[in-house]
Amino acid sequence: MQTSLFTGSTGNTNNTGNTIASQNNATQDMFTKLLVAQIRNQDPLAPTDPSQFINQLTQQAQTEAMQNLSTLTSANASVLQSMQVLALGAQVGSEVMVNTSTVQLDSAKVSGSIALSSNSSKTTLTLKDAADKEYKIELGAKAAGSAAFTINPQQLGLPAGTYTMAVTTSSGEKPSVDIAGKLSSVRLSSSGSMILNVANLGEVSPGAITGFNGKTS
């Protein structure tokens, strides 16, 4: 599957390069025709200063160089994206940490963590279901730094479903939540963006990944 993604992206790179190259050629031909027409139609009794033609040719060369640079940049961006897909594809099966405000629960335990900038004598994780019913999980006192926690749906009597999450602390700080889940697949969307599928979370963007915990048995 990874090879297919790479091949598909390379095809897009070739198509993009061919399109831009075609546009470059059309622009160059138009410029040349205009320059030739200008030379043919100049007044023979008052010919145009040759330096003006030199300036125009210089401008044409600069324009062509910028267009070629644009083509190269676009191709490099596509290749880099393909390399990122392959790199993340190699991590399929690994447990990752994802910064998120939602979590998908069934009967299995879910691990997570929060990062506190100051101590909290009372820390509460609030889950809210689709019907806006709230479930509060008391995490207790937490010291500044990273604090791990576990959600046990069976023990807490949480129905299966998707929940939004929010953390409150005694200091008034509202830290974001990272949830652990197994990376199950990596794919490119129709728009070319990368989409990761992570257990307990569903589809997430690469930018939401905060850590890799390695392969899980």
Side-chain angles (χ1 to χ4, degrees):
M1 180 180 68
Q2 296 170 359
T3 302
S4 176
L5 285 171
F6 185 84
T7 303
S9 181
T10 302
N12 292 337
T13 302
N14 290 338
N15 291 338
T16 301
N18 290 339
T19 300
I20 297 177
S22 178
Q23 294 173 347
N24 291 351
N25 291 336
T27 301
Q28 184 177 3
D29 290 343
M30 180 181 67
F31 189 95
T32 302
K33 289 178 180 178
L34 290 174
L35 184 60
V36 171
Q38 184 179 356
I39 294 174
R40 286 178 175 176
N41 295 313
Q42 64 180 331
D43 186 352
L45 299 179
T48 304
D49 186 350
S51 62
Q52 294 186 19
F53 294 125
I54 297 299
N55 289 336
Q56 293 180 33
L57 288 172
T58 301
Q59 292 174 2
Q60 179 188 7
Q62 292 174 340
T63 300
E64 184 177 354
M66 293 180 64
Q67 290 174 332
N68 290 337
L69 179 61
S70 175
T71 302
L72 181 60
T73 301
S74 177
N76 287 342
S78 296
V79 171
L80 177 60
Q81 185 180 55
S82 297
M83 293 175 64
Q84 290 174 331
V85 171
L86 291 175
L88 283 173
Q91 295 297 326
V92 169
S94 296
E95 183 181 81
V96 296
M97 299 298 295
V98 180
N99 185 258
T100 180
S101 60
T102 63
V103 63
Q104 298 173 358
L105 299 178
D106 47 29
S107 60
K109 296 180 181 180
V110 175
S111 300
S113 68
I114 56 175
L116 300 174
S117 59
S118 59
N119 296 339
S120 173
S121 59
K122 182 180 180 181
T123 312
T124 305
L125 172 64
T126 301
L127 304 179
K128 183 184 293 185
D129 64 15
D132 286 339
K133 183 177 180 179
E134 292 187 346
Y135 301 85
K136 294 186 180 296
I137 304 174
E138 297 300 334
L139 303 180
K142 297 294 182 182
S146 180
F149 64 84
T150 300
I151 302 174
N152 189 334
Q154 290 185 327
Q155 185 182 62
L156 299 170
L158 298 175
T162 300
Y163 294 79
T164 58
M165 299 179 294
V167 177
T168 56
T169 64
S170 60
S171 64
E173 181 182 358
K174 296 182 179 180
S176 58
V177 180
D178 289 351
I179 293 294
K182 182 181 289 187
L183 178 62
S184 58
S185 67
V186 180
R187 68 180 179 85
L188 287 175
S189 69
S190 57
S191 63
S193 60
M194 220 178 317
I195 297 177
L196 315 181
N197 195 287
V198 180
N200 308 323
L201 299 167
E203 294 185 344
V204 301
S205 66
I209 302 294
T210 59
F212 289 86
N213 297 336
K215 301 285 185 178
T216 58
S217 57

